[in-house]
Amino acid sequence: MGVTPPPLTSEQRSQAAQTALAARRRRAEIKAGFHDGTLSLSNVLDLTGVDPAVDRLRVVELLEAFPRVGPVRASAIMSDLGIAPSRRLRGLGQHQKQALLDYFEGM
């Protein structure tokens, strides 16, 4: 069946929790910047491959941070562009990135 992970010391567990918290804060910072207009979609996409916290951000979460885009519209956009609902930014191909940029450029 599954492989059990090795037991962690309390120090390792604490470090992992701090790392996870920092990544969540960074993703929240990115979404807030995207929402308030200080970051553009192309800026965020340029951070993929450079910032591990951004790499793990789900595309749907980023789209929902866009003004006037909620869960239903974000899901519809992703479906129209052929992007899986579970896709993270690091998993987007060049064509998918360009399709997102083209879509939001036309708004």
Side-chain angles (χ1 to χ4, degrees):
M1 291 208 163
V3 176
T4 57
L8 299 175
T9 66
S10 61
E11 183 178 313
Q12 290 171 322
R13 217 175 349 272
S14 175
Q15 180 61 39
Q18 290 174 359
T19 302
L21 179 61
R24 284 192 301 274
R25 284 185 177 151
R26 177 68 176 138
R27 287 190 292 273
E29 178 183 294
I30 293 294
K31 290 187 286 189
F34 187 64
H35 180 76
D36 67 20
T38 57
L39 284 173
S40 68
L41 180 58
S42 63
N43 295 139
V44 175
L45 292 176
D46 287 343
L47 291 172
T48 58
V50 177
D51 188 335
V54 174
D55 287 347
R56 301 224 2 110
L57 181 62
R58 291 188 188 276
V59 176
V60 71
E61 290 179 36
L62 181 65
L63 296 182
E64 289 173 5
F66 200 89
R68 299 182 317 274
V69 176
V72 172
R73 189 161 179 210
S75 181
I77 291 167
M78 291 181 63
S79 178
D80 290 346
L81 299 178
I83 300 172
S86 61
R87 179 72 61 205
R88 294 179 188 271
L89 288 179
R90 74 167 169 231
L92 287 175
Q94 276 306 116
H95 290 93
Q96 290 173 322
K97 286 180 182 180
Q98 191 58 52
L100 279 171
L101 290 170
D102 292 345
Y103 182 89
F104 283 101
E105 188 176 277
M107 285 184 72

